[in-house]
């Protein structure tokens, strides 16, 4: 089994009407329940707007904090799900379900294994 990250790529600067957001939340909850029943769900969370981020770096051994992001973004990671599945084909099937439920593009990325 391999863990895959399913990134929800949300448009930056847009807003979703409350009724539409509720509909998406219900669909995602149903898919999450299916993932849990199938034993593939590991973890998921939604993320705040990128304007609320802090970028951390080091310079001369000191930690430096800056408001982020620095780049103009057309889309951003609005949330993600980690799943543990047999292969990329299974990961992309789940990603397709999430895309259909949210109307967003979903980036599928395998986790690296160290050790």
């Amino acid at each position: 089994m391999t863990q895959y990250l399913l990134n929800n790529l949300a448009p930056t600067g847009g807003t979703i009407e409350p009724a539409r957001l509720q509909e998406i939340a219900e669909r995602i909850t149903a898919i999450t329940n299916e993932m849990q029943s199938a034993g593939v769900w590991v973890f998921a969370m939604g993320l705040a707007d990128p304007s609320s981020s802090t970028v951390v770096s080091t310079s001369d051994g000191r930690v430096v904090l800056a408001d982020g992001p620095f780049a103009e973004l057309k889309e951003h990671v609005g949330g993600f799900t980690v799943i543990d599945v047999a292969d990329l084909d299974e990961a992309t099937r789940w990603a397709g379900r999430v895309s259909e439920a949210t109307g967003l593009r979903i980036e599928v990325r395998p986790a690296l294994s160290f050790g």
Side-chain angles (χ1 to χ4, degrees):
M1 301 290 269
T2 302
Q3 289 189 345
Y4 288 86
L5 178 68
L6 309 181
N7 280 324
N8 303 335
L9 302 177
T12 298
T15 58
I16 300 175
E17 294 190 20
R20 175 74 174 128
L21 187 57
Q22 179 63 34
E23 177 184 321
I24 291 169
E26 290 170 3
R27 289 179 180 180
I28 288 298
T29 298
I31 293 169
T32 298
N33 291 339
E34 289 179 45
M35 288 177 175
Q36 290 170 334
S37 293
V40 302
W41 185 88
V42 176
F43 181 78
M45 82 169 33
L47 299 172
D49 187 85
S51 65
S52 66
S53 67
T54 300
V55 177
V56 180
S57 61
T58 58
S59 178
D60 299 321
R62 294 183 1 188
V63 174
V64 179
L65 305 178
D67 292 337
F70 291 113
E72 287 263 340
L73 303 173
K74 292 182 181 180
E75 59 186 5
H76 64 277
V77 177
F80 62 88
T81 302
V82 177
I83 57 175
D84 193 12
V85 295
D87 55 30
L88 179 60
D89 288 339
E90 188 176 357
T92 57
R93 281 193 297 275
W94 284 111
R97 301 276 313 281
V98 173
S99 178
E100 185 176 7
T102 62
L104 299 174
R105 295 180 330 127
I106 307 299
E107 174 192 26
V108 178
R109 190 184 302 188
L112 294 176
S113 176
F114 296 101

